[in-house]
Amino acid sequence: MKRIFLSLIVFLIPVIFLSQGISKPPMIQPPPAGEEEGAPPLPPEEREKARIFLAYKMKERLKLTEEQTVKVLEILKEGDEFRIKHREKMAELRRKCYDLLKNEKATDAEFKKMVEEMKKMRMEGEAKMDDTENKLLSILTPKQQLEWILFKKELQRGERHNPPHQGRRASE
């Protein structure tokens, strides 16, 4: 009798806990305004300072001429302006996606169309990034191009001091 009672308790406890945990799936909610892309974009004057700082660091590291530095600033500004507009368009498109997901009458065709729009927007952003990179490379000498590729990777990783080729062994 004890065995049956214990078996019944062992069986019922997980069933009770699981049944209380089962509920209606949560509604898909968009992130709060301004949180779609992580940190909000910098104000225009801060973006300008960041571009100038990057151009200065590139001038220093790549040994750019004055003419190259001016051109780098133009290219960076153009890319930055595109990113700001693109980010706004993507945020609006994501809001439309959340609205579509909430619509219980939405069709597969509507979902498919939205997926295609999202893919298209992502590809536009990537194409512009590639274009910006190609414009930068086009004004650099081959040695500067190689230096830029390495420098850019260090920036992406957050390596600000002692890049691998300056004072450290590459294996570190």
Side-chain angles (χ1 to χ4, degrees):
M1 184 71 158
K2 282 185 179 181
R3 209 177 257 180
I4 294 173
F5 183 71
L6 283 174
S7 297
L8 190 58
I9 289 176
V10 168
F11 175 74
L12 285 177
I13 288 177
V15 169
I16 292 169
F17 281 112
L18 287 174
S19 67
Q20 289 181 7
I22 298 174
S23 62
K24 194 175 177 184
M27 278 295 275
I28 296 173
Q29 296 292 324
E35 291 184 20
E36 298 98 6
E37 291 285 327
L42 295 173
E45 62 277 357
E46 292 298 317
R47 289 195 312 271
E48 181 72 18
K49 287 178 187 176
R51 281 194 304 269
I52 292 170
F53 180 76
L54 177 58
Y56 172 77
K57 286 299 189 183
M58 288 175 71
K59 178 179 176 49
E60 198 175 65
R61 172 80 177 258
L62 282 59
K63 298 178 181 25
L64 300 177
T65 65
E66 290 301 318
E67 184 179 315
Q68 285 175 311
T69 305
V70 169
K71 190 69 178 159
V72 162
L73 277 167
E74 291 170 5
I75 294 167
L76 292 176
K77 183 174 183 173
E78 177 187 321
D80 186 42
E81 289 170 351
F82 173 84
R83 270 190 306 282
I84 295 300
K85 290 175 186 166
H86 188 262
R87 183 181 181 146
E88 291 168 0
K89 288 179 188 176
M90 285 297 289
E92 178 59 31
L93 190 55
R94 273 191 302 281
R95 282 190 287 277
K96 289 179 181 178
C97 289
Y98 283 111
D99 291 343
L100 183 62
L101 287 169
K102 288 180 198 174
N103 181 354
E104 293 179 14
K105 295 179 182 178
T107 65
D108 281 349
E110 291 172 304
F111 291 127
K112 186 174 182 174
K113 181 181 176 192
M114 191 62 72
V115 167
E116 291 303 316
E117 285 183 51
M118 290 292 287
K119 285 173 37 179
K120 180 182 173 194
M121 285 291 290
R122 188 189 76 232
M123 288 171 43
E124 284 176 11
E126 290 173 0
K128 181 60 178 178
M129 287 174 46
D130 288 344
D131 181 55
T132 300
E133 177 75 6
N134 289 334
K135 284 180 181 179
L136 282 172
L137 290 173
S138 74
I139 64 167
L140 302 175
T141 67
K143 182 178 180 181
Q144 289 171 325
Q145 291 174 357
L146 183 58
E147 193 71 55
W148 166 242
I149 291 168
L150 295 173
F151 182 51
K152 183 175 70 168
K153 194 63 170 175
E154 292 163 15
L155 291 172
Q156 290 168 342
R157 285 193 207 133
E159 298 174 18
R160 289 192 171 77
H161 303 290
N162 299 323
H165 72 289
Q166 292 182 351
R168 278 196 278 165
R169 290 177 300 188
S171 62
E172 290 182 322

